[in-house]
Amino acid sequence: MRWSRTFIPTLREDPADAVAASHRLLVRGGFIRQLMAGSYSLLPLGMRVATKVSGIIRDEMNAIGGQELLAPVVHPAELWKRTGRWDDVEGIMVKFEDRRGADLVLALTHEEVFAQLASELNSYRELPQLWYHLQTKFRDEARPKSGLLRVREFIMKDSYSLDVGLDGLDVQFEAHRGAYDRVFARMGLESIQVEASSGNMGGSDSVEFVVRSDAGEDRVALCDSCGYAANLERAVSATDEVPDDPWEGPPQPFPTPGVRTIAGLTVMGRFAAARRQIKTLAYYVGDEFTLLVLRGDHDLEIQKLVDAVAGVVRPATEGEIVEKLGARPGSLGAVGVEHPVIGDPVLRGRFNMVTGANEDDVHLRGVDVERDLPVGRWLDMRSVREGEDCNTCRSGSLSLSKVIEVGHIFKLGRKYSEALGATVLDESGRPTPIVMGSYGIGVGRSMAAVVEVSHDGKGIIWPVSVAPFAVVITLLRPDNPAVGQAGERLYRDLNNAGIEVLLDDRKERPGVKFADAELVGIPYRLTIGPRGIESREAELASRDGSLAETVPLDRVIARLAEMVS
RNA sequence: CGGGCUGUGGCGCAGCUUGGCAGCGCGCCUGCUUUGGGAGCAGGAGGUCGUCGGUUCGAAUCCGACCAGCCCGACCA
């Protein structure tokens, strides 16, 4: 394509509202434009990159037996009511009516539709199947941010595996694991697989594919020794032993005027160190007022709780706490309460601990966890901290990283097929619900992740695999006949050789062209100007700085062909 | 959803405190000169000042409501 005829609205200055590097550079480089919060148009360059990403995904999906189709983005509410998600995902689902008053929704994802399609299968002999599409999703996120990293409308590749049994699911799950590894590697991303929460998708195993970046919103724990990797929503660490001092007799109240925090209590003395305190949090789990007890220096990882209990989880308000316990937050404890208590297992066996007395300005010491707290359920629900020992290998320590989630694979099981009647007859002639898996890759988010990990002060540095063009020909004096003719000939020959090329034929000064080429991030730049044309040479430079050489014009095509392949 | 901030030409911003002709830089158009790292000179086009209402002789400016966007947090199939 010719730059002069292509819509590439680059900006000299950074857009005011962009913070993340990918957001800033994709807007400034003329790849995307915002329409409203969390929704972007892909301009020609952005579309070319998205097409490259989609192409890699299709390639690898087809390689594991995927069949591409396309399911609608507007669904009847009925479908979502049948699986229960009409109510479960209240809030981020856009609902509306058609002219007859029928309830419709915009698809957040497509488990329902694919399960519905799968109900046409009749026999185990037709399985396994692997279906996928690249389709728009709309999620009315409360807070879209960071350009393409967190949007409301986006294109996702989602695939759905259909099997007779769990063994088949395992095979397809592992096939996806490999395909995803290859997809991200081909895009130039170093992806890491981490154990993840399945959220309200339902199902058992789930693995996230993440890329390290400070622009990311998820946090993961990584072991420096054995390779253990997990999202903080699920991560576990080895517990450090805390020796308790002996204590005889029942818990003893003591005055703590004005103390409202764990840290505030520690000044009372060694016996009240944070590790010797019991942190008591008041939550509603479903309709039940519930106390959560953790070690004083630990934090609640709420997703672990959400994953382990039924119903909605929310913190109790101060008013509810005072009504139920008779004290305000800061003096709460679970000793002798009649409410349900969930305890973090690190507290098991601990004694002579300090906790609130459910009376303002009073705490208890000498608390023996298993003797004094009516813990009805032990549940790991604490958040892993930087530097804690790995629970898997016991020799490494965990570090925490911020990451961008670019892919997620789930073993769904039979939830959707049962709800929607997607059954086949098994070998013995009995109907059995199809076992499903679902697997997603965000196209735009992957693009943004590439930019996050591959840019410099001048702009984006695309890998050839997803670059909008492999080469840009920068004509320094397009009006100079020798330069113009040489440029046109190279442009034609590169196109004929199947190398994607952008010809910068604009009547701009050299500085503008160089700066734009670097901003847009095309991997190779071929510079043709009056200086080199006399000796029939062009300059070839790579955007990443690894190459800068002079090439005779008649060698250019061959040289680029070997670079780009 | 809670807290903070911002809406003025395509982009970045000033003007608002103290009401009185709507400005600056970049970009854009025309001409001349220039041309290997974001050119110079001259001329020019382009704005319901987010929306609605109020106060006032007069509102970008003061008051109110609403809308939109950004940031922090909560949330995130």
Side-chain angles (χ1 to χ4, degrees):
Chain A
M1 292 171 78
R2 292 168 187 275
W3 200 312
S4 65
R5 301 298 311 150
T6 309
F7 182 48
I8 308 176
T10 59
L11 302 174
R12 183 179 290 221
E13 295 171 84
D14 278 333
D17 54 10
V19 177
S22 61
H23 185 195
R24 200 164 45 75
L25 293 171
L26 288 171
V27 171
R28 195 145 88 86
F31 291 80
I32 59 172
R33 283 296 185 268
Q34 181 171 10
L35 179 62
M36 59 179 175
S39 129
Y40 288 82
S41 300
L42 291 176
L43 306 188
L45 288 188
M47 188 61 203
R48 289 184 72 95
V49 176
T51 301
K52 294 288 179 63
V53 170
S54 305
I56 292 173
I57 294 172
R58 284 195 172 93
D59 218 27
E60 297 296 341
M61 289 307 301
N62 293 344
I64 60 169
Q67 307 163 58
E68 184 171 7
L69 50 85
L70 186 62
V73 74
V74 174
H75 301 178
E78 170 63 20
L79 196 54
W80 289 74
K81 286 176 179 165
R82 281 165 68 190
T83 59
R85 292 210 291 182
W86 171 262
D87 299 310
D88 291 352
V89 294
E90 189 67 41
I92 65 168
M93 185 156 64
V94 171
K95 304 175 175 179
F96 56 105
E97 290 182 1
D98 66 12
R99 66 167 76 204
R100 293 175 307 187
D103 288 324
L104 303 175
V105 306
L106 289 182
L108 309 172
T109 172
H110 285 79
E111 280 76 15
E112 277 80 359
V113 180
F114 277 73
Q116 159 97 347
L117 288 170
S119 67
E120 294 218 20
L121 297 167
N122 299 306
S123 160
Y124 74 96
R125 289 202 200 90
E126 297 171 279
L127 297 179
Q129 293 282 333
L130 174 54
W131 299 342
Y132 75 96
H133 67 170
L134 286 131
Q135 176 64 292
T136 298
K137 310 284 182 267
F138 194 96
R139 300 177 186 172
D140 193 7
E141 294 276 357
R143 187 147 104 81
K145 58 182 281 200
S146 303
L148 296 189
L149 284 177
R150 179 155 160 197
V151 291
R152 294 194 297 171
E153 178 175 330
F154 57 99
I155 294 173
M156 179 188 245
K157 184 290 297 179
D158 42 325
S159 44
Y160 302 87
S161 61
L162 309 169
D163 287 276
V164 213
L166 293 172
D167 292 348
L169 172 61
D170 289 345
V171 169
Q172 300 229 49
F173 189 83
E174 292 308 317
H176 276 83
R177 190 195 293 274
Y180 277 32
D181 260 343
R182 291 187 290 277
V183 165
F184 296 122
R186 285 176 64 178
M187 291 173 54
L189 292 173
E190 288 180 29
S191 66
I192 305 171
Q193 297 181 25
V194 304
E195 291 178 19
S197 158
S198 297
N200 73 354
M201 291 286 290
S204 49
D205 282 325
S206 118
V207 170
E208 277 178 354
F209 288 74
V210 302
V211 175
R212 279 197 219 198
S213 164
D214 282 339
E217 298 190 280
D218 284 356
R219 301 223 304 158
V220 300
L222 303 168
C223 175
D224 57 14
S225 166
C226 72
Y228 171 78
N231 192 302
L232 237 51
E233 293 176 345
R234 250 189 98 107
V236 295
S237 60
T239 49
D240 50 334
E241 296 295 322
V242 180
D244 290 316
D245 297 332
W247 174 270
E248 296 293 330
Q252 184 184 84
F254 64 103
T256 51
V259 171
R260 291 288 175 273
T261 61
I262 299 283
L265 194 57
T266 59
V267 303
M268 304 290 292
R270 198 180 96 86
F271 75 93
R275 305 182 302 164
R276 297 171 188 278
Q277 295 186 38
I278 300 167
K279 175 183 288 188
T280 308
L281 302 173
Y283 272 73
Y284 269 90
V285 174
D287 295 331
E288 277 204 293
F289 182 83
T290 303
L291 294 178
L292 311 177
V293 293
L294 296 105
R295 206 171 82 185
D297 58 331
H298 288 162
D299 291 321
L300 173 68
E301 176 52 56
I302 193 166
Q303 191 66 41
K304 288 185 178 177
L305 178 65
V306 170
D307 287 348
V309 301
V312 177
V313 172
R314 67 164 177 89
T317 64
E318 182 161 342
E320 289 163 345
I321 291 169
V322 171
E323 184 202 326
K324 299 281 188 184
L325 296 175
R328 289 184 290 150
S331 301
L332 305 183
V335 175
V337 298
E338 295 186 349
H339 305 287
V341 176
I342 301 176
D344 190 272
V346 303
L347 292 176
R348 298 197 82 158
R350 296 288 307 275
F351 53 91
N352 191 5
M353 297 191 78
V354 175
T355 192
N358 287 334
E359 181 182 341
D360 286 346
D361 301 323
V362 179
H363 281 74
L364 299 174
R365 58 186 299 187
V367 175
D368 183 314
V369 172
E370 300 195 51
R371 180 192 66 192
D372 301 325
L373 301 187
V375 174
R377 179 174 184 185
W378 296 100
L379 176 69
D380 169 51
M381 54 185 171
R382 76 184 175 92
S383 196
V384 162
R385 295 177 300 184
E386 175 85 29
E388 288 181 338
D389 290 341
C390 176
N391 191 49
T392 301
C393 67
R394 298 277 171 169
S395 61
S397 76
L398 299 177
S399 64
L400 305 187
S401 280
K402 291 174 89 171
V403 298
I404 298 167
E405 176 192 352
V406 287
H408 201 157
I409 58 180
F410 298 87
K411 291 186 183 175
L412 294 179
R414 301 187 171 93
K415 171 177 172 176
Y416 298 91
S417 52
E418 276 172 356
L420 295 167
T423 58
V424 291
L425 295 182
D426 65 16
E427 288 177 72
S428 56
R430 273 186 283 273
T432 178
I434 293 171
V435 176
M436 293 179 65
S438 96
Y439 318 85
I441 295 178
V443 173
R445 189 182 277 182
S446 294
M447 279 171 63
V450 172
V451 179
E452 288 295 339
V453 301
S454 184
H455 68 273
D456 62 16
K458 293 173 175 175
I460 302 171
I461 306 173
W462 293 110
V464 172
S465 59
V466 294
F469 293 92
V471 188
V472 56
I473 302 176
T474 302
L475 299 181
L476 295 185
R477 293 287 303 270
D479 53 336
N480 173 313
V483 170
Q485 282 164 22
E488 290 292 339
R489 170 166 297 160
L490 284 174
Y491 176 61
R492 190 192 62 210
D493 292 347
L494 281 167
N495 274 322
N496 288 340
I499 296 173
E500 293 181 317
V501 54
L502 180 63
L503 178 67
D504 191 353
D505 55 344
R506 295 175 299 166
K507 294 177 175 45
E508 288 290 350
R509 296 172 65 81
V512 173
K513 295 189 171 195
F514 290 145
D516 273 348
E518 283 153 355
L519 173 62
V520 162
I522 295 172
Y524 294 100
R525 185 179 78 205
L526 206 50
T527 308
I528 301 175
R531 192 188 286 170
I533 203 70
E534 294 177 18
S535 47
R536 303 210 46 78
E537 286 175 336
E539 288 152 44
L540 176 61
S542 66
R543 176 62 181 87
D544 64 11
S546 64
L547 172 99
E549 62 186 27
T550 301
V551 184
L553 288 181
D554 56 11
R555 291 266 312 130
V556 164
I557 306 294
R559 184 76 178 113
L560 269 170
E562 79 189 49
M563 315 277 334
V564 166
S565 65

